[in-house]
Amino acid sequence: MHYQPSPCAAPLLRPALSATPIALAAAAMVLALATPALHAQPTAAPATAGEGKALSTVTVNASADASAQGLSPAYPGGQVARGARAGILGTRDAMDTPFSAISYTNELILDRHARSVGDVLQNDPTVRVARGFGNFQESYFIRGFILDSDDTAYNGLYSLLPRQYIATELFERVEVLRGASAFLNGASPAGGGIGGSINLLPKRAPNEPLNRVSFGVGSGGSTQLAADIARRFGPDGSTGVRLNAATHSGGTAINDEDAKLGLLAVGLDWRSRDVRLSGDLGWQDHQLKRTRTNVTLGANVTSVPTVPDNQSNHAQPWSYSNERDTFGTFRGEWDITPDVTAWAAAGARRSEEANSLANITVNNGSSGAATTYRFDNTRKDSVNTGELGVRGKLQTGSVGQEWEATASLFDFEKKNAYAMDSRNTLATNLYGPVSTNLPAFSGTTLYGGDLANPLRTGTTRLTSFAVGDTLTLLDKRLLLTAGVRHQKIDIGNYAYGTAALTSRYEQSRTSPLLAAVVKLDKSVSLYANYVEGLSQGQTAPSTAANRGEMLKPYVAKQKEVGVKYDAGRVGGSLAFFSTDKPRAFLNSSNLFGTYGKDRHQGLELAVQGEATQGLRLLGGLTWLDAKQQATGSATTDGKRVIGVPEVQANIGAEWDVPGVRGLAVDGRLVHTGSSYANATNTLKVGGWNRLDLGVRYLTEVQGKLVTLRLRIDNVADKNYWASVGGYPGSGYLTVSAPRTVSLSASVDF
């Protein structure tokens, strides 16, 4: 079974959710009702029911961070923003950015009933959502490379939010930067970010008071209750407070699954003429019981099993996974002069995980005969991170200049312990699961530390310094960007149970960026970039002649060209990219080194915005050629990378029904081509198509805005393997979710 002690979940968190989140939500409602006058004078007109799609747009116009730029405005229809954060370069309009990026808004999140980051990214034609290694963590295939949820950034800082499941109540927008980003963002903690990066923007108080209560129900008896309250204070509205509280509980569309979530988050901001400050404090408790596991294919399996009934559950009744996180962030900006701004940011997270897992390994692809075993572990994470920077503008004749310099630090410690009873297997079947009572650990159980008191097993320290410069020429029609980032990677590994240092990885690398944007006119931009990705190099195994040698950081080299189109109401992009990533293996002399490579190249087409009044589009197509080009073995050379389809596409549309004020319907068709579950490409997993439908109705009830949303995902109730792998070199499978119906009502007052 593809278990890995360190990234799994844990048993210290057994207490069930109390009524605390509900009480907090109720308190927030009382606060909102009791303080109607404690807000700033309006600085922006609210949407009115008579302005186009205004009735169907409950927009929160707020700065997501301590930035003078604030949030990028959205395309008509409100689903996608016109710009996104480009790391050290800051938030930029898409037409000025030499990268492919997209930012999904809170309106889209609400309308699609998205509960997690993965749910939001179901709308992205360039991303496919997978499952983490041995647990229930989300992973994301971007350009065929895996990005773990550990490497998700929050307001520009890595790994501050819960690492396994991030509820959408915690953020305002989801920004996806496609492509390598070592210069822009620095190396990611878990070594992802080669194919792209994800940044989540926090919620801030809008200019108008916000009082929103939402209630939802769904398949399997799930219920959701949430409150979103915001106020601005002071004569000029300089101080903002936003409170989010939520609770989710009940079953799912899968038999016998149960999920609970409690959440509380507070966002604060303050601004003056030259200074802007913001901060966040959040808590999330996520508990899963009998959640359906990944399906691992045994070494002797010669065919991919037929997908079981998507409602069936092969998880053991005693299995669970609990995660509790507390986090905080701070960000500040100071305009030293009108053209020079300094900034600082810091954040911290403390997490506890506990679980008892029983992943299933299929040993016969035809009959579904399988085995499982008990695997428990506990884990505690500690993250501290921050950055300092300064940016400025210069104008020399007709040449403009925007420069920036920044220094960053990321410090992470994990404590882990496990008990793996892999020699005491339990017989089961993929098509007829066999449930057992909780088995006691046998005498052959392998223990790693003390489950009740996990000790330090790993540390990661990332430090970097970066400088960049963008020149604007030809009346701002030509933008040239260059920069370098010097990154140091320091990773320590410690023995389970004793916390004694067993190995240390210390390497550094300077990563460049070269990019250009050419604006042919106001609606068309051409761009090109050369940028690198950076991750920790491997250590030679004990079987190698150079055993223990630490390889230099892996440098992925990306070349990309593209064109972007913005007609005002609708926009689109076309990108071609090619990325080479080093691969290490033992050569004929038994030396371990980076002799090989993988090459991922492809085309990406995306479209978003309002094609015509009342018709909004969101989707695109990705063609991807992801090959193992040099592996050291003739059986894998030239074969496709595990879990990466050649073609994937999304077609999404939303339509305001004529003659029925406030009524809109939407549809989303998702296509994912076939892929392979092993490196030799002998186990082929079929592609799939899924149709999702939704209805939204806005009305007024006693002067209060009420929004009703009905959604049906996987309308045809199709069975398919939803993902293949989610960890490099592994080809485990995930069964698709069954038809899922959800209904929600929100009231703004």
Side-chain angles (χ1 to χ4, degrees), residues 96 395 397-400 471-479 517 519 521-522:
D96 299 332
Q395 189 71 38
S398 61
V399 179
L471 299 178
T472 57
L473 307 163
L474 304 179
D475 194 27
K476 299 184 178 180
R477 295 177 62 184
L478 174 62
L479 287 74
V517 175
K519 297 183 176 181
D521 55 38
K522 292 183 179 180

Side-chain angles (χ1 to χ4, degrees), residues 75 81-84 92-99 101 517 525 564 566:
Y75 279 98
R82 295 185 178 275
R92 289 193 174 187
D93 186 274
M95 302 297 285
D96 299 332
T97 307
F99 309 98
V517 175
S525 288
K564 300 179 183 181
D566 189 341

Side-chain angles (χ1 to χ4, degrees), residues 64-314:
D65 56 16
S67 168
Q69 301 167 306
L71 285 176
S72 295
Y75 279 98
Q79 298 178 335
V80 175
R82 295 185 178 275
R85 182 187 181 100
I88 186 178
L89 303 180
T91 299
R92 289 193 174 187
D93 186 274
M95 302 297 285
D96 299 332
T97 307
F99 309 98
S100 176
I102 193 167
S103 177
Y104 297 103
T105 68
N106 191 250
E107 181 175 349
L108 179 74
I109 294 170
L110 294 174
D111 288 344
R112 300 299 181 270
H113 279 177
R115 303 300 181 195
S116 69
V117 175
D119 289 345
V120 180
L121 296 179
Q122 296 287 350
N123 298 282
D124 196 305
T126 69
V127 181
R128 286 298 180 261
V129 182
R131 204 51 100 52
F133 188 71
N135 55 32
F136 307 109
Q137 177 178 17
E138 289 186 342
S139 294
Y140 318 104
F141 280 101
I142 309 177
R143 294 185 172 178
F145 295 102
I146 297 169
L147 178 74
D148 292 329
S149 53
D150 302 63
D151 287 338
T152 301
Y154 185 57
N155 208 9
L157 297 177
Y158 282 125
S159 197
L160 289 180
L161 295 181
R163 80 181 189 95
Q164 293 211 41
Y165 182 91
I166 307 172
T168 53
E169 288 88 353
L170 290 173
F171 52 85
E172 180 76 23
R173 288 184 177 178
V174 178
E175 299 181 330
V176 181
L177 178 67
R178 299 156 184 153
S181 60
F183 165 76
L184 297 173
N185 301 306
S188 60
I194 295 174
S197 58
I198 297 171
N199 182 50
L200 308 178
L201 296 182
K203 293 181 174 181
R204 294 287 176 258
N207 294 320
E208 295 295 321
L210 175 64
N211 312 301
R212 180 177 298 155
V213 177
S214 304
F215 176 76
V217 295
S219 298
S222 65
T223 60
Q224 300 89 38
L225 177 63
D228 191 353
I229 311 298
R231 291 291 187 273
R232 300 212 69 85
F233 301 88
D236 57 355
S238 60
T239 302
V241 181
R242 189 161 181 178
L243 171 69
N244 278 268
T247 179
H248 303 175
S249 62
T252 73
I254 299 168
N255 296 336
D256 301 319
E257 273 196 357
D258 186 82
K260 295 182 179 180
L261 180 135
L263 176 150
L264 181 65
V266 179
L268 306 171
D269 69 281
W270 177 84
R271 61 188 182 228
S272 68
R273 179 178 178 180
D274 300 321
V275 178
R276 295 163 296 279
L277 305 174
S278 70
D280 300 273
L281 185 64
W283 170 85
Q284 178 181 287
D285 190 347
H286 189 223
Q287 301 183 19
L288 302 173
K289 185 177 181 180
R290 201 172 184 176
T291 298
R292 190 167 61 193
T293 67
N294 300 321
V295 176
T296 299
L297 301 181
N300 297 320
V301 169
T302 58
S303 62
V304 175
T306 302
V307 187
D309 181 11
N310 56 26
Q311 288 187 302
S312 67
N313 192 349
H314 50 259

Side-chain angles (χ1 to χ4, degrees), residues 639-681:
K639 302 299 176 67
R640 293 190 62 83
V641 174
I642 291 174
V644 181
E646 187 173 8
V647 178
Q648 55 193 47
N650 286 42
I651 303 174
E654 185 179 67
W655 179 54
D656 295 334
V657 179
V660 186
R661 188 165 174 255
L663 180 65
V665 297
D666 72 84
R668 179 176 65 198
L669 180 63
V670 182
H671 168 76
T672 301
S674 60
S675 61
Y676 292 96
N678 61 347
T680 57
N681 289 186

Side-chain angles (χ1 to χ4, degrees), residues 1 3 131 136 254-257 290-296 306-319 357-362 368 370-373 426-436 721 732-736:
M1 292 191 182
Y3 288 130
R131 204 51 100 52
F136 307 109
I254 299 168
N255 296 336
D256 301 319
E257 273 196 357
R290 201 172 184 176
T291 298
R292 190 167 61 193
T293 67
N294 300 321
V295 176
T296 299
T306 302
V307 187
D309 181 11
N310 56 26
Q311 288 187 302
S312 67
N313 192 349
H314 50 259
Q316 291 297 318
W318 41 266
S319 61
L357 297 175
N359 280 15
I360 184 173
T361 297
V362 173
T371 57
T372 186
Y373 63 85
L426 308 170
T428 186
N429 192 285
L430 181 64
Y431 308 114
V434 178
S435 296
T436 66
W721 292 116
Y732 48 81
L733 309 173
T734 305
V735 182
S736 61

